[in-house]
Structure formats: structure tokens, C-alpha cells
Amino acid sequence: MMKGLKKWRLFGLLAALTIFLSGCGEEYLSTLTPAGQVGKDQYNLLLLSTAIMTFVIIVVVIIYVLAIVKFRRKKVGENTIPKQVEGSHTLEIIWTAIPIVLLLILAVPTVSLTYKFADTKAMEAKDADGNAKAVTVNVTAKLYWWEFEYPEQGIVTSQELVVPTGQKVYFNLKAADVKHSFWIPAIGGKMDTNVDNINKFYLTFDKESDGLKDGVFYGKCAELCGPSHALMDFKVKTLSQDNFNNWVDNMQATKGKKADKNSTDLGEQVFANSCISCHAVSGEGTGGGVAPNLAAFGDRNRVAGFLEHSEDGIKNWIKNSQELKPGNIMPEEKALNNGKEFTDEELDALAAYLMGLSVEK
Amino acid sequence: MSSTAKKKGFGATIWDYLTTVDHKKIAILYLIAGTFFFVVGGIEAMLIRIQLAKPDNDFVSAGLFNEIITMHGTTMIFLAAMPLLFAFMNAAVPLQIGARDVAFPFLNSLGFWLFLFGGIFLNLSWFLGGAPDAGWTSYASLSLASPGHGIDFYALGLQISGAGTLIAGINFLVTIINMRAPGMTYMRMPLFTWTTFVASALILFAFPPLTVGLFFMIFDRMFDANFFDHINGGNTVIWEHLFWIFGHPEVYILVLPAFGLFSEIFATFARKRLFGYSSMVFATILIGFLGFMVWAHHMFTVGLGPTANAIFAVATMAIAVPTGMKVFNWLLTIWGGNIKVTTPMLYALGFIPSFVAGGVTGVMQASAPLDYQLHDSYFIVAHFHYVIVGGIVLALFASAHYYWPLMFNQMLNETLGKITFVFFFIGFHCTFFVQHFLGLMGMPRRVFTFMGGQGWDQFNLISTVGAFLMAIGVILLVVNVIITAIKNEPAGRDPWKDGRTLEWAIPQPVPYYNFKQTPLVRGLDTFWIEKMEGNKEGMTYAEPISDIHMPNNSFIPFMISLGLFVAAFGALYHQDTDKTWSIPVLIIGLAITFASMITRSLKDDLGYHIHKEELMNEKGGKH
């Protein structure tokens, strides 16, 4: 009998644990599985505040349950008139003082971390050659995509942020059209991209994203920015310092790359005729593009930030971009191709060309 | 509920309500209009939850979803929660302080009609080209970029209904300061009166910033001004400040009266004086004051810098102290009491754990560095619904049951009321508890859809199931109201038997002039004192029976509001070059308003007197 009971208890515990663990979310997306110092500090603050608040809840619940159990009319008697107590100074002082102490415990790390996370002085630090010591990324949020410019390296990419692990990476955040917010939940808290000013902050990435389910961390837009706000995802690839340097070199090496109208590759021809006025295929340069830079498109995880990354995904996007991501500024298919739809042959070739734009392969 | 109202024909009753200046009837108007908008907002909520029940759902489109969330938030805050609270304030506060009516009965009516016409104007956007779609916060860069007229409906509609709210707030301030019966000192006022008083003061200071912000928005969108257009030297962050300088106190405008209502209910059904009355009053004032010091905690991620963030973080945490005082005082009120679990009390008991849960997550978000993670995620959605549903909506439902006999001389069915509570309460926790985790798992708010396989599928489904349970609860409440209205059994005076404050001392149905003789207040919970001393009449009188001066009904408030409603269409369509009628409509609308105001100013309306002899004969006065 007792044994059976114990088993049941174990079962209950396991069930609770399963729910609890499923409550942690996905490793590449959840704030509960932080993969960077900022996120870890925030996670610890979450634990501390949860502990304090759980204490408060327990105290309240104990008094609450006891009061309800002990002082029901059924128990006390229909006609009993309770003593009309005015109050108690001692109790008032107790439940004023204790919460103040609890809040002070929370306030100290709050204030210190607020200042710590806002410390971006190292962005300006230069080594002997006048090069910046830290990696800085200029993030520009646009309807509904993200541009990542590396001013020091002279390269620019989009939709997929690539960063080195094990160091502070600094961000200059700005929005080009309406306000957005830059958030990589598994790495650390968000910061808004305002239209009026540049916001600065930093994040650290402790873990290489290679082992994750999709090989990337997920990033989100966290500020309502229009119909396709929900689809304004980006991805984050974290590389070791060496791999990052390689990636930078490869990106720089795409300098001058252009789609050629006279190419033998039909895909390149189509691209040169229809896409090049907005999309660049060279990763070298500065930000400010009208449309995402596609130099590293083939290495990406998604089409348009959220569609399956395949030739079919690309074709689907070109054919139905407005339907799939309402409000984006990519022109309709016919507007791209002088009033005609692309032939299947052209689309296949274009998709293949795009998939071949890679700096990693 | 004047005793003569029931004998009138249908048309006469409608006309009576269109022109009434009686606080008790205006309370009913607020109740009906607020309930209507609550149902509208509730349907919008259901659409949101149906859309998010499963990943990649296409029940509503992306653009429509944004309109729905915007209207859900705006409707629930401005057009449901506030008017419903005004309903109970109007029904109870004048009676609680022993007044014949509010200080300005005409303005009371004007406030209602402005709110209603503003609310109708806003909701007409659904039929006239699309609702606002920039969220209830309507952040400037997005709202300026929003095509169509949705945002214009938002700005103009809220401007009109906001004027009504401001008028109502001022009216209650003056009423509570000036109209208290002899002996009703400030420290003898029931807590609902106190919280109404403080909330009204908050309205007085919080609504002007919103008015300014909305005017800037209107000018930017309709007349090409550049207050928020950063390309022309404007600044969008200013809107965020103006909005939250209003928006945060707004939370307390809503929740303080809810606290007051629960304080009445706890004391009544625990048969015990409110524990720590003076510290409750102090806490109310302190919350009201601190409520103005914390708006930037909505903007921690905007980039205000560490000093601003740190200051606002600590200030926000400070609010937890007086709020905690209140919770413990409620607990100690029922401690040692004689608790009868009626439906209102059941809601009050459900409120404590729910609101504490909402409060503690508030403290977590006050911690700025942690808020960088929680802000604009589903965590915040969970938090503010715990506060607003767990605090305010539970208070509204509790008070609907509690004050129904005062307003309609009928009792809502207690059993059905308890069943309603069970559905609503379980549904509420089911809907919103899991949303905390969705937020922590990285789900941003205001997303019209989400991809499967991100670990959010289950919890979203649970949340939707909960929403349906809440909907069942609301439907049961409506059924309860209908059944009760059909049964029409008079509840009589002091129907809960444990009434403590003056509103329960008045005979039922409440005479249209309220108190035949102004009562003398002899302490806190004055009705309780009289009852305990065996005074069958329940009141000691401060004056002999004498003539009562009454205001006349007036149709002018309706006309003033109608004029602004018409003018708003002119302003709204002014930007469309093809609509040449817009300027004439604007002028005609304003002309109606100003002509009505001039009529009001020039025409002497001295009201009338109920003579002493009539009062002596009136049966309603005795019970």
C-alpha cells in the first residue's frame, strides 16, 4: 500500500518535472536557457526575484487559507458579531518594514546591473593601430527585415547576424522606418530601435550556435511595427573567434561581386535584370540598403526570415511575397520582370543562383 | 431608480434616460454602455485567442489582427473598465456620503454622453474603412505611418470620451469634498469613496497629458504638423512619455476604485470593520502619488539611459509597499471575522491570490535589467491581465452582484453567481498563467501568428481553452441578469443584512431625491453603528424634513456631445481631398455644440423644489 503510494508520488513528481522542463522552452529561443553573460545575469535576477516573490506569496497564502478555514460563518456561528478591531500599529510596521527589506535586496542587483548593461564605453577603445578592439555591429531595423553592418570590417549582411563567441559584441541600434525592438531571447534582453536616435548596448555569446537545432539562435522583433511584425524574425550565428575571422575574410572577399546581365547562368541574368537595383550580392560595403544584402544568402537558415530555406521557399516568396508577409516593400513579381511573370525556367534558375550565394561553402 | 419610473411608457422612459441628471440613472446608463463595450472587447479577445490557438493559423489576417488587438485594449480600458467603475461610483458614492446627488448633475450627464459618443465614434471605425491598428499605446512612428483613418478614429474618439472622463473625475472630486453629510469627516468616509476620491484626483492630473498627446497626434495626422515626425524635427519618444504619463496613473485610476469596492465587500461579509482603516487611506493616497512617478518603467528598453532606468526601477518597487499594506489589511480584516461566502465575497476571496500574483510579477518587471527580457513579451501580457482581470474585472463582477440590489432592488441569483465565478476564475488562470512562461520562452506580444515547433504550441492552446471558459462565465452572468430581471423580486433595504455604510441605510427602491432628511454620520460604518445600537430606522437625521431642491432634467448634454461627434467626422475626413463636405460638417458639429452650450448659459434653469408636504406623504420615504 505504502509502496504504491510512493510510486504515485514519484509519478506525480515526474509529471510536474516534465511540465516544468517543457516550461523552459527551446534552447535557441528561451530566456530560461541563457547562452550569454547578459542573459545569465538576467536569468539570475529572475531567480532572485522569483524567490523573494514566492516567499511573499507563501506568507499571504498561509494567512489567507487559515483565515478562510477558521473564520467561516458556519464555524463562527450565524449571529456572532466579531470584535470590531481598529488595526494594529505593530502589524502595520511589520508589513511595511519587511517588504522594504525584501525590495532592497532586489534593488541592489537591479541598480548595479542596470549600470553594468549600459556600459558601452569599450566600444570606443582603440588598439595601437587605431582599430577598434571590440566587435561592433550597426543594426538597422526595417519593415520587416534586419540589416547588420560591421563598420570596422567594412562588411554588411542581413537577416542573419554573425558574431564571435566569448567577448562583448557591441550594437548600435536604429530603425529606418518605424520603431522596432531588437531581441535575442536566449542571449539577453532587448533594446528598442528608435527612429530618432541610436541606442547602444552589448551582448555576449558564450556558446557556438553550431550544435543548436537549426544551427542558429532565434531573434525577434519585440515592438509592434505593422501587419508583419510577427514575421520579423532574424537568426544569430555564433562562431568561434577563428571562424568569425574567416567569415569576415570571406565576406570581404566578395568585394566587387556583381550579377552580370551577360552571364551564361540564366539565374544570374534574371537577378541582374530584376533584382539588382535593390539587392546587393557583395557583402563588402556599408549599410543603408533598400533591401536585404544577399551576399551570404545561401548560408542562411530561412527565406525572408521565416520561410523554409530551399529553392521552393525562394520561389514561393518571389511569387507571393505580399501575401506571405503583408506590408513588406518587395515589389510584385510582375513589377520585377517588366510586367510579366517569370517563367518556371527563370524562377528555377534564379532560386538556384540565390542558393549558390555563399561565403561559407 | 425613481419610484415613478416604472409607471411610464417605453418612449417616456427612453426620454427620461436621455435627459436624466439623476446619478442613480446615470449609473444605470454607464452600466449598460460599459457592459456593451465589455462584450465587444470580449469578442475581440476571443478572436485573438482563436487566432493564436494553433501555430500558423489563418483565422484572421495579419492586418485585421492588429486592428483587433488595438480595439480590444482600447475598448477594455477606456470604454469598458472605466465606465463600469463610473457606474458603481455613481450608484454608490453619493449615497455613501449622504448626498442628494453629485455636485454637478448636469455635468454628470454630459460626462456620460461624451464618453458614449466617443466610444461609438471609435467603434464606427470598423464599418468606415478599418479600425486603428497601432496597438492601444499607438506609438507615434507606427501610428503616423498607419494608412487609412483608423488612427484618426482612435485619436478623435478618445479625445471626446476622454473629455467625458475628465468631467466625471472633476465632478466626483467636488462631490466628495463638498457634499458630505454632517459628521462625514474625511476619516469616516467609506473606502470606496476614498478610492473614488483619489482616482478622481488622478484623472484630473493624468488625462490632460493624454489630451495633449492626442491633440499632437490629431494635428500631425490631420493638419500636417510635425510634433512626432522625426524627419521634420519631431520626436516619437515624446509620444511615449505623454502616453505613459497618462497611461500609468490610468492603471491606478482603474485599480484603486477596485480596491475600494473590495474593501467594502471584505468588511461587509466578514462582519468586521476594515482592519487598519487609516493605513488603508494612507496607502491609497501614497499609491496615487507614486503612480505619477513611475511611468518610464514602461520604457526601460527605449534607451533612456541607466540613471533614468535605475531611478524609475526603484520608484516602481516602492509602490509594492503600500500595495502590500493593503493586501495584509484585507487579510487581517477577514481574520477574526465572521465570513459569509456570498458571490461578491467569493470574487473578493478570488481576487487576493490573483492580484498578489499580478503584483509580484509587476515587481519583477520593475527590475529594469530583468525587464529587458520581459518587456513586450507574453510575460507582460500575463502580468497586466493578472492585474486588470484579477483586480479590476473581478471587482466589477463582485460589485455587479454586491450593488445589484442597491441599483435595481433585485438580487442576482447567488448559486448561478457562484457557478459564474468558478468558470470565470478557472478560465482566467488557465488563460493567463501559462502566458508568463510563453513570454519567458521568447514569445513576443502582439504577434498575429507564430511558427510551430518553437515550444509555444501547447501553452497557447491551453490559453485559448481558458479564454472559452471565461466567455462561458460572462454568458452565465448575462443569463443571471436576465433571469433576475424577469423574476423581479424586490430585495428590500439592506439585502445582505450585513451592510455597514450609508448606501444600505436608504429605503428601497431608492427615492429619486435620495435621503428625505440628510443623515447625521456618527462614525466610520455609520449604518452599522446605528444597527448595533438598535436604531430600526438605520439613520440619525441631521435636519428636520424640509423642502428639497432638485435639478431639472436636460437634453442639452446629449446635444453638446452629439455636436462633437458630428464635428469629429468633419475633422477626420478633412484630409481626403475628395470629401469637400468635411469642413461644413466640422462647422455644423461645432455649431451644435456651441449653440447647446449657449442655451445652457443663457437659459435660467433653477430646478424645482419638492415640498415638505409631499415628502411627508410620500410612502417611499418610510420603509
Side-chain angles (χ1 to χ4, degrees):
Chain A
M1 177 68 198
M2 277 306 282
K3 227 178 180 178
L5 211 71
K6 265 186 191 161
K7 262 188 190 163
W8 271 110
R9 258 189 224 164
L10 199 67
F11 179 75
L13 195 72
L14 276 176
L17 205 67
T18 324
I19 292 173
F20 183 75
L21 286 178
S22 76
C24 276
E26 304 290 345
E27 200 185 357
Y28 51 85
L29 176 61
S30 175
T31 67
L32 301 174
T33 53
Q37 194 52 48
V38 174
K40 281 175 189 162
D41 285 343
Q42 287 162 338
Y43 180 66
N44 290 335
L45 202 51
L46 177 73
L47 293 183
L48 173 68
S49 58
T50 308
I52 294 173
M53 295 307 140
T54 311
F55 170 74
V56 174
I57 289 177
I58 290 172
V59 172
V60 169
V61 166
I62 290 173
I63 304 174
Y64 172 80
V65 171
L66 282 180
I68 295 177
V69 171
K70 284 175 74 170
F71 302 106
R72 290 281 291 277
R73 191 154 298 181
K74 272 181 209 149
K75 285 208 166 171
V76 183
E78 193 60 42
N79 296 318
T80 321
I81 302 295
K83 193 168 163 236
Q84 303 292 308
V85 190
E86 216 172 284
S88 157
H89 283 296
T90 329
L91 284 175
E92 298 288 350
I93 289 168
I94 291 173
W95 62 55
T96 307
I98 293 178
I100 289 179
V101 173
L102 293 177
L103 288 173
L104 283 176
I105 295 173
L106 185 59
V108 172
T110 293
V111 173
S112 90
L113 285 176
T114 304
Y115 279 95
K116 184 181 159 191
F117 292 158
D119 180 11
T120 55
K121 265 180 278 173
M123 271 173 112
E124 322 297 340
K126 301 266 167 50
D127 63 13
D129 306 331
N131 296 322
K133 283 181 180 168
V135 177
T136 297
V137 184
N138 295 340
V139 178
T140 311
K142 312 189 187 193
L143 290 167
Y144 300 93
W145 60 282
W146 299 85
E147 184 176 75
F148 305 110
E149 179 194 6
Y150 300 70
E152 197 68 24
Q153 288 77 10
I155 55 177
V156 59
T157 185
S158 60
Q159 297 294 46
E160 208 158 294
L161 172 68
V162 180
V163 285
T165 54
Q167 56 183 287
K168 286 182 178 173
V169 178
Y170 291 85
F171 295 92
N172 289 312
L173 305 166
K174 194 164 176 23
D177 29 51
V178 302
K179 184 181 172 104
H180 307 271
S181 189
F182 177 79
W183 188 27
I184 313 167
I187 300 298
K190 62 189 72 66
M191 195 159 206
D192 293 354
T193 59
N194 295 331
V195 293
D196 319 83
N197 65 299
I198 292 172
N199 276 335
K200 296 170 195 286
F201 84 145
Y202 73 87
L203 293 169
T204 57
F205 303 80
D206 290 353
K207 186 173 165 174
E208 286 172 43
S209 59
D210 213 12
L212 296 170
K213 198 180 93 185
D214 293 336
V216 285
F217 289 101
Y218 279 29
K220 300 277 174 187
C221 173
E223 181 68 56
L224 180 66
C225 53
S228 291
H229 161 59
L231 306 175
M232 195 172 155
D233 286 11
F234 62 98
K235 303 288 179 284
V236 185
K237 198 172 276 178
T238 55
L239 304 173
S240 67
Q241 183 67 56
D242 289 346
N243 288 340
F244 178 73
N245 292 343
N246 281 339
W247 178 80
V248 170
D249 292 343
N250 291 342
M251 283 294 279
Q252 286 167 339
T254 61
K255 180 172 181 178
K257 187 172 176 186
K258 268 190 189 147
D260 185 358
K261 277 185 185 177
N262 305 316
S263 165
T264 49
D265 177 8
L266 176 63
E268 190 172 341
Q269 277 181 32
V270 175
F271 191 92
N273 284 321
S274 299
C275 315
I276 205 148
S277 55
C278 300
H279 293 282
V281 291
S282 160
E284 189 265 349
T286 55
V290 216
N293 182 300
L294 299 179
F297 182 81
D299 306 326
R300 284 189 200 144
N301 183 268
R302 297 278 166 179
V303 175
F306 73 107
L307 294 169
E308 186 199 348
H309 191 71
S310 64
E311 295 190 7
D312 285 343
I314 297 171
K315 287 188 269 184
N316 188 12
W317 171 249
I318 294 171
K319 285 224 159 271
N320 309 308
S321 64
Q322 275 311 320
E323 198 182 308
L324 291 165
K325 211 176 190 179
N328 83 83
I329 60 164
M330 171 123 160
E332 301 273 346
E333 185 185 4
K334 283 183 181 168
L336 294 172
N337 193 29
N338 302 322
K340 297 192 299 280
E341 285 186 4
F342 291 113
T343 63
D344 286 349
E345 196 191 356
E346 284 171 333
L347 267 184
D348 288 341
L350 179 58
Y353 172 73
L354 286 169
M355 290 299 273
L357 294 172
S358 164
V359 299
E360 287 176 34
K361 283 168 198 155
Chain B
M1 298 265 343
S2 131
S3 50
T4 52
K6 281 186 188 135
K7 290 160 203 155
K8 288 179 187 162
F10 182 70
T13 311
I14 297 282
W15 179 250
D16 186 35
Y17 274 90
L18 286 175
T19 58
T20 187
V21 293
D22 180 351
H23 72 96
K24 299 178 287 296
K25 286 183 183 162
I26 290 174
I28 292 169
L29 289 174
Y30 269 120
L31 188 70
I32 294 169
T35 307
F36 170 74
F37 286 122
F38 182 80
V39 170
V40 171
I43 292 170
E44 283 153 4
M46 295 311 295
L47 297 178
I48 295 171
R49 278 322 318 168
I50 293 171
Q51 167 67 10
L52 294 176
K54 58 173 191 180
D56 299 315
N57 202 358
D58 59 355
F59 179 72
V60 295
S61 69
L64 180 60
F65 183 87
N66 287 355
E67 293 175 27
I68 294 173
I69 56 161
T70 303
M71 287 302 283
H72 167 69
T74 314
T75 303
M76 283 304 198
I77 297 281
F78 291 99
L79 308 180
M82 296 203 53
L84 287 171
L85 286 169
F86 279 139
F88 298 119
M89 289 177 187
N90 267 301
V93 168
L95 298 177
Q96 279 195 331
I97 60 172
R100 289 255 154 71
D101 204 320
V102 292
F104 308 116
F106 178 91
L107 285 186
N108 201 13
S109 162
L110 179 61
F112 170 77
W113 291 111
L114 283 172
F115 139 70
L116 185 65
F117 276 110
I120 291 173
F121 184 81
L122 179 54
N123 274 280
L124 282 178
S125 62
W126 284 117
F127 309 104
L128 298 171
D133 59 357
W136 87 286
T137 50
S138 205
Y139 273 14
S141 61
L142 182 59
S143 56
L144 291 188
S146 170
H149 284 302
I151 303 297
D152 308 326
F153 276 105
Y154 170 94
L156 287 162
L158 287 190
Q159 198 68 291
I160 295 172
S161 77
T165 307
L166 187 58
I167 287 172
I170 293 170
N171 204 350
F172 277 109
L173 274 181
V174 181
T175 304
I176 294 169
I177 293 171
N178 280 343
M179 309 284 283
R180 284 166 292 133
M184 177 66 82
T185 59
Y186 279 105
M187 291 311 275
R188 285 179 183 174
M189 292 194 316
L191 217 72
F192 182 47
T193 300
W194 254 115
T195 52
T196 299
F197 183 59
V198 176
S200 301
L202 295 187
I203 289 175
L204 182 63
F205 292 109
F207 268 73
L210 177 70
T211 308
V212 171
L214 287 173
F215 268 130
F216 285 178
M217 177 79 70
I218 289 170
F219 283 15
D220 267 14
R221 282 188 59 101
M222 282 160 236
F223 309 113
D224 296 322
N226 297 312
F227 293 105
F228 303 126
D229 183 356
H230 70 285
I231 295 166
N232 290 312
N235 188 306
T236 59
V237 181
I238 302 284
W239 164 267
E240 296 182 33
H241 281 294
L242 285 171
F243 186 85
W244 288 118
I245 288 171
F246 147 78
H248 196 78
E250 169 69 15
V251 179
Y252 294 103
I253 292 169
L254 294 173
V255 87
L256 286 177
F259 287 170
L261 290 164
F262 281 128
S263 301
E264 304 291 324
I265 291 168
F266 279 123
T268 303
F269 296 108
R271 242 183 220 170
K272 195 158 155 276
R273 189 192 144 105
L274 190 67
F275 192 87
Y277 170 83
S278 41
S279 74
M280 284 295 247
V281 171
F282 174 69
T284 306
I285 297 170
L286 194 61
I287 292 173
F289 180 74
L290 287 174
F292 279 99
M293 307 291 153
V294 297
W295 79 88
H297 69 214
H298 298 268
M299 301 167 62
F300 279 152
T301 65
V302 172
L304 301 177
T307 307
N309 280 4
I311 290 171
F312 278 100
V314 174
T316 305
M317 289 181 187
I319 291 197
V321 176
T323 315
M325 276 162 73
K326 277 183 169 283
V327 172
F328 286 109
N329 277 312
W330 286 319
L331 288 174
L332 266 283
T333 303
I334 57 173
W335 187 273
N338 185 346
I339 304 169
K340 184 173 186 189
V341 187
T342 57
T343 305
M345 187 62 166
L346 194 56
Y347 278 105
L349 291 172
F351 152 77
I352 289 196
S354 312
F355 187 78
V356 169
V360 296
T361 52
V363 176
M364 291 163 80
Q365 285 172 126
S367 176
L370 177 54
D371 186 64
Y372 299 161
Q373 283 285 26
L374 308 178
H375 176 80
D376 268 351
S377 76
Y378 254 84
F379 192 92
I380 180 76
V381 178
H383 159 71
F384 67 67
H385 281 96
Y386 260 80
V387 175
I388 291 178
V389 182
I392 298 151
V393 177
L394 290 184
L396 292 171
F397 284 17
S399 312
H401 288 88
Y402 184 60
Y403 278 131
W404 204 264
L406 182 75
M407 293 174 79
F408 300 102
N409 193 21
Q410 297 166 345
M411 279 287 234
L412 288 174
N413 185 299
E414 277 287 286
T415 319
L416 194 51
K418 284 172 188 167
I419 298 172
T420 306
F421 170 82
V422 171
F423 273 103
F424 191 80
F425 190 74
I426 293 175
F428 156 61
H429 283 282
C430 186
T431 308
F432 296 111
F433 186 71
V434 290
Q435 291 186 357
H436 291 113
F437 295 93
L438 283 174
L440 292 172
M441 293 185 316
M443 181 163 167
R445 70 188 281 207
R446 292 167 164 175
V447 289
F448 81 95
T449 188
F450 57 94
M451 266 195 304
Q454 298 186 90
W456 306 339
D457 307 5
Q458 274 179 349
F459 283 177
N460 271 299
L461 182 62
I462 294 174
S463 185
T464 300
V465 171
F468 275 96
L469 294 177
M470 288 169 83
I472 294 173
V474 175
I475 292 168
L476 287 177
L477 181 59
V478 175
V479 170
N480 199 347
V481 167
I482 295 169
I483 293 176
T484 309
I486 293 171
K487 269 194 190 162
N488 195 14
E489 291 167 7
R493 194 180 77 155
D494 193 16
W496 300 107
K497 309 282 183 267
D498 291 322
R500 306 176 70 83
T501 37
L502 258 181
E503 75 267 34
W504 302 112
I506 204 158
Q508 277 289 357
V510 181
Y512 60 102
Y513 47 79
N514 291 358
F515 298 91
K516 187 183 281 185
Q517 293 158 276
T518 300
L520 178 70
V521 177
R522 294 166 59 220
L524 180 66
D525 296 339
T526 171
F527 181 44
W528 179 260
I529 294 172
E530 302 290 347
K531 274 200 285 190
M532 287 299 110
E533 290 179 0
N535 178 351
K536 286 267 185 289
E537 226 158 294
M539 273 186 271
T540 306
Y541 301 111
E543 56 173 22
I545 295 185
S546 53
D547 292 1
I548 297 175
H549 178 229
M550 296 292 290
N552 281 324
N553 281 3
S554 172
F555 193 51
I556 294 176
F558 185 93
M559 291 305 289
I560 294 178
S561 312
L562 180 71
L564 288 178
F565 176 75
V566 172
F569 281 102
L572 184 122
Y573 286 112
H574 171 60
Q575 325 150 60
D576 300 355
T577 39
D578 59 322
K579 298 205 169 73
T580 44
W581 47 263
S582 65
I583 294 282
V585 167
L586 182 66
I587 292 170
I588 291 169
L590 289 176
I592 296 173
T593 298
F594 284 116
S596 310
M597 289 164 80
I598 290 166
T599 313
R600 168 71 180 169
S601 303
L602 297 183
K603 209 181 93 184
D604 282 334
D605 183 358
L606 301 174
Y608 64 98
H609 282 86
I610 311 170
H611 293 292
K612 194 174 155 186
E613 295 72 27
E614 282 174 61
L615 287 170
M616 300 281 243
N617 297 333
E618 179 114 4
K619 294 225 167 58
K622 290 278 172 201
H623 38 88

